[in-house]
Every structure is written in structure tokens, then in C-alpha cells.
Amino acid sequence: MFGTTLVLALRSIRRHLLRSFLTILGIVIGVGAVVTMVTLGKATTAAVQQQISALGTNVLQVRPGQGFGRGGGGPRPPDFKPEDVTAIANQVAGVTAVAPQASATATAIYEGANWSTTINGTTAAFLTVQPWPLTAGRYWTPAEEEAGKAVCLIGNTVRQNLFRGGAAVGTRMRLGNISCDVIGTLSTRGQGGFGDQDDVVVMPIKAVQRRFTGSRDIRLMMVGVDTAYSTATVQAGIMDLLRERRNITGGKEDDFNIFDTKQISDTLTGTTTLLTRIVAAVAGISLVVGGIGIMNIMLVSVTERTREIGIRLAIGAVAREVLLQFLVEAVALSCLGGLIGLALAQLVILALVPVMQVPWTFDPQINVVAFAISAVIGVVFGYFPARRAAALNPIDALRHE
Amino acid sequence: MTVPLISLRGVTKVYGSGATQFQALKGVDLDITGGDFVAVMGPSGSGKSTTMNILGCLDMPSAGEFTFRGHHIETLDRDQRALLRRKYLGFVFQGFNLLSRTSALENVELPLLYRGEDKRSRRELGMAALDKVGLADWWDHTPAELSGGQQQRVAIARAIVTSPDVLLADEPTGNLDSERSVEIMQLLTTLNRDSGITVLMVTHEPDMAAFARTVVHFKDGLVERIEAQHRQGEAVEESPSRLREGLGVGLSPTTSSDTGGQAHPQPSSGSAVPPAQPEQRGTLFTPNSQAGGE
Ligand SMILES: Nc1ncnc2c1ncn2[C@@H]1O[C@H](COP(=O)(O)OP(=O)(O)O)[C@@H](O)[C@H]1O
Ligand SMILES: [Mg+2]
């Protein structure tokens, strides 16, 4: 009986292609919108997380000043000193390592090629806080670090622009006014949300302080946090210590800021997830509207096909068969709409991924769920018109104009 | 003495209720022998279609008895009547009532779908039925591509594809010109004679009624009189009360003035009316005739 009904339903859909298409348009758009929104939302969340984790998770960044874009007037707060680094490393519980950073910009020159880049002076702790593997060469030794030797590790962008695929390790390049031995090449970190992270030359901090910045000042400390501790606790510990060391008492505001990448990551992820949910809910409403569309057109179709129903009843269809025919027709239509919607979503996602600069993803779960919803909508919104068709009196139906 | 295939006893039909109530049938008594070709005539509004709807198990009498093969139909529910139609009855309508945008063959196959026939036997039976009405070459044409006469022949093919006992036709030639009408009547006559299908037909036109073996005249919701017609164009007049005892049996022919002397298109062969279906006191529904047929 079911096979027959399915045959009848498919025939009817085929015979009324335009009407069938209009019927399912709402479902197509609804399913397409839900799948597109959820997939792109998840891709955006993933992209944001990826950019933030490039900064390192369980890492606190400590800078002088009151954070991004705050505290405009007044004298500039003092930078940190090497003693601050040692104090945090030794006195705050849960700190694995503290990497000071002193930065400068300079032009690197090698055999006629030149490239303007950022020089990042730090210590071996830098690699403890935020591991960064080498593709070739070696890290500097403690002796070289202590002496502030002009040795450097170069990022991938610098290597490509200066050495153009040739060997870099073991060469000597010019960096500003000094010569410096390339002892290693860093692996690719990629394009973060904060610029090209591979456009960098990393040197012992003492070399940078002596040859470029001319002071012992430290503009940034990267603090590694033991995973057994919460970043908030460690953040509080550092705050207390620095307030004491910088003589900030009572209600006076901090003249430094601590940036917790994990916290930012969580906040951003939460925001994008919430946005995804809101957009998906709006798209879901369009699905329901699509279902009502199906019901509408099925009701019109029942009226329009009253005579057909009369014929079927006259030649011996029982009410249940007529009901099933219309129900199966509605479900077949909505499932068809669901499938087209899924395909449409894939096309839209493929088109939008490069524009939105998010990674392409395929989420089987949302596809299955959206399709299942379209089938359920067919049953729910197809039942009422189908019941109305089945309840028709054959004589009245046959006489219907 | 043959037991009638169909029998109505004191059948009434009341439409509406209260002030708008209207009694369309006022106690119809009618017996129809299996294998007969019955024309139902009468003025408009006399209750012909109402009677046909009851006989076709599409509608229920308000009161009275309706037996088919000795079974009481007035006790059946909606679905049981549908199954009865599926198994024993075929319908032809004035307005053809074919599914549009659907090929002739698919239209003819429709009743077989509800019988659960598989695709191959649907094709075979459908083509055979189209062949009987002379439209085998037109199987893939939709109703819009067929003339009125052809459409009605497709409708007849659809009605007979299940080899029903009874073919009910309410003014089957009402929408056709006289030439097409005669073709349809000849087709019905052939089916009645060769396949033994009992034909019940409503018509306005005496020319069409002339093809029938029995003519039932309706007036004001009652059977006024019943004529038995000879193949040679002679008619037999009988009172309804006598006809109850069995149509076409032991009737003394009297010449009817309106059909007498007319060249009668009835088949001239001496073939006897096929014997009425033997009375079956068993169930009307064999297990495989249940809904869906699967
Ligand atoms: N569904 C209905 N509701 C009310 N009155 C009806 C209905 N069907 C038929 N009638 C009335 O019953 C009478 C007999 O109708 P019908 O059997 O169709 O006559 P006809 O002999 O012309 O076929 C008519 O007066 C008609 O108006
Ligand atoms: Mg009528």
C-alpha cells in the first residue's frame, strides 16, 4: 500500500512541477538558511579560536599602561625592568616562565635583497611560554643569551623575502646597523588576527636592548601559566606583586595591564556561538514559515483536486489511502525541499567562505537535523490538508467544478 | 426464476433537514438481473442520479433496503462500500472525469493501483482495456489531446479494467454529439453482450435508451414504469410490481409505440444474455480485496 501511495505522490509532484516548486520554496530557503548560518557560524568561531590560540593559551601578556586605547593623558607609565621578570617568575605561584620582550623595527639585508621587519628580543623562556618549533638550525645557547650575541632566528616571511628558498641557516645578514648570524628558521604560524606572525626576527633580548633600543626597558612580558592553576588566580598574583613593586597603593589605578588570551578566547567564542544561535533561530522561523507554505498550497491543492479525489474515491480508494496519498505527497515535497536546501546551502557556503576568510567545514549533524526537520514539517503541515481530502464525500467531490 | 443481482426495496432519500428538507426518492422498488442492460429515464429532478449514486454505493439510502448479491449494503460503512466499488463496480460519468495531465493508460491503470496489481499486470490489463475501446494506439495521450468521444472511451476502459460486475453510467453521452453517442452506446452494448457486464445507464435521449434491454422510467422520486425491450426494437411494458419477481423472465412482449418500427441498432445476433451471476451467499470481500490490496 505504501509503495502504491509513493508512486501516486511522485506522479502528482511530477505532473505539477511549477506548483511543487512553489510549494517547497519556503522549505528550500528555510533549510538552506539554517544550514548556511550554522555552518558559517561554526566556521567563524573556529577561525576566531584559531587566531587566538596562535597567541598561546594559558599565556598572560603584561604591558605598561592601562590597556588598549585607555589612559591617554599624563606621563607615560614606566616600562618593566629585568628585575620585574625575575620577581614574577620567582614569587607568583603557578607561573611556569616569564619571557620579557623588547621590540624594534629594522631593515634586514642579504645579498642585495632587503626586507623591513620586526625584531623581537627575548629569552629562552619565550619558548617555554609559547613553543615555536624550528624548521632548520638551532636555538641560541644560554651562553649566547647571557652575552647578548648577535645571533637570530628568522620567521618564514623574512626567510622567503630575503633568501628566496635558498639556505638561510649559517649565513650572516645585515640587520639595521649590525651583522647577525642566522642560526635557525622558525616554522610557519600563519596569519593571525594580529598581523603576520611570521614577519619577525627573534634575537636574545640583551642584543636587542644593547644594539637597538638602547635601554634595559621591557615593553612586554609573556607569562606562562601552569595548567593546574587558573589564569585568573595567577593574574591576581601578578597584579598584587606589580602594584607593590610600582608603588601603587590604595584606590589608585593600575598603570599596567594584564591580557588573558584564554579569557578573550572564551568571550569571543561565546559571542560568536550566541550570534550563531540567534541567526539559526531566525532561519528556523523561516523553516516554520516554509511549513505553513506547504500547508497552504496543499490546502489549495486539495480544493483544486477535489474532482480527482472524487474519482479516486469512486473507483474504490478508501479514505485512509487518500489521506496517505496527500500526506506522502506533502512529506515527499518537504523532503525534496530539504534536499535542495542542503545543496543550496553547500553552494552558498562555498561562495562565502573565501569572502568571509573562514575555513570551509562540513557539519554532518546540522545537515541531518535540518533534513529531519523538513520531513517532520511535511508530516505536521501535510496532515491537516490530507485529512480534509480524505473526509470528502465522493459525490460532492465529483460534482465539484 | 433468477435471484436479482441488485434489489431496492422501499428506498427513500431525503436531502437536507428541517425547512430545507427535500425528499428525492419516495420509496423506490427495483430489481436488476445480472447481465441486463438497463436505461434509466425520466424528467430532470426525478431522482435518477440519486438512485444511481445509491446503486453505485457512493451514497446511502435514508431508509429502505438495498441488496447486492443478496448482501445488505445499507449496513456497510464508508470503507466497506469503497472496497465494494473497487471490486464489483465501474463508473462512467457525464463529464468523463479523467485525471488531467495524465496519459490515457495511466488513467485506465488507476483502479488497478488500488487493487495492488504490480506494474506489469497494470500495463497488460490497461492496454487490454484500451484495446477493447479501440484506443490502444492512443495510450500515451493526455485527456487534453483526445476528443470528447475518445475521452469517454478512455473512461469506459478505466471502468472495465477491473472486470467489474456492474458498470454505472450517469448520462455518459450527455456531453457528446449524436454520432459519438452512438459509438459509445455500441461500445457499451458490446461490453454487455461479450463480457456479461451489467450496465446501468441514465439517459435523456430515447435514441440511447433504445440500446438497452430494460428501460426504467422515473417520475417524482418513484419508478413510474419499466419496459422490457426486444432486441428487434419491440418493447415490453410491465408494472413495477411484477418486475420485482424478475426482469426479462416470462414477460409477454407488447409493442411500444415510440420505439416500434425504428431501425434498432441492437445486435442482431441470437446470442443470449449471459446468465446472471450465480448467487453468492458468502462474503463479498475476499481477503485480498482489503484496502490497499497488499
Ligand atoms: N445533494 C443534494 N442536496 C439537496 N438536494 C439534492 C441533492 N442532490 C439532488 N438533490 C435534489 O434531489 C432531486 C433529485 O435529483 P437527481 O437525482 O439529481 O435528479 P435527476 O433525475 O435529474 O438526476 C432534485 O430535485 C435535486 O435538486
Ligand atoms: Mg442527474
Side-chain angles (χ1 to χ4, degrees), chain A residues 399, chain B residues 43-50 52-53 94 170-171 202 204:
Chain A
R399 207 179 286 145
Chain B
S44 182
S46 58
K48 306 183 296 293
S49 295
T50 303
M52 285 296 265
N53 288 339
Q94 179 177 358
D170 195 343
E171 303 197 31
V202 173
H204 277 315

Side-chain angles (χ1 to χ4, degrees), chain A residues 238-281:
Chain A
I238 295 170
M239 196 182 293
D240 290 345
L241 181 66
L242 285 180
R243 280 177 77 89
E244 191 186 311
R245 291 181 66 85
R246 290 161 88 89
N247 290 319
I248 305 166
T249 50
K252 271 175 77 181
E253 263 189 71
D254 297 345
D255 64 354
F256 59 92
N257 70 81
I258 304 173
F259 180 89
D260 183 351
T261 53
K262 188 163 185 296
Q263 188 190 326
I264 301 284
S265 165
D266 290 348
T267 310
L268 278 178
T269 305
T271 310
T272 47
T273 307
L274 182 69
L275 272 175
T276 303
R277 288 205 184 131
I278 292 171
V279 174

Side-chain angles (χ1 to χ4, degrees), chain A residues 1-4 7-8 11 14-17 304 307-308 310-322 325 389-395 398-399, chain B residues 15 53 58-59 78-80 82-83 85-86 89 91 93 95-103 106 109-111 113-114 116 122-123 158 291-294:
Chain A
M1 173 153 150
F2 190 75
T4 308
V7 170
L8 288 175
R11 272 190 198 169
R14 198 185 33 170
R15 258 174 226 137
H16 307 276
L17 269 184
E304 204 180 273
R307 209 185 248 273
E308 174 195 327
I311 295 168
R312 292 181 187 282
L313 290 169
I315 65 175
V318 295
R320 194 171 63 244
E321 286 165 328
V322 172
Q325 183 195 337
L392 283 174
N393 172 335
I395 300 165
L398 280 169
R399 207 179 286 145
Chain B
Y15 287 116
N53 288 339
L58 291 166
D59 207 354
R78 197 181 135 98
D79 280 358
Q80 284 173 315
L83 293 176
R85 293 195 294 272
R86 178 185 298 185
L89 307 180
F91 292 88
F93 308 97
F96 319 139
N97 276 335
L98 297 174
L99 298 189
S100 57
R101 297 186 228 188
T102 306
S103 74
E106 277 183 334
E109 284 180 358
L110 200 62
L113 264 173
Y114 290 106
R122 287 205 306 264
R123 285 284 118 119
R158 180 180 65 192
E294 270 193 16

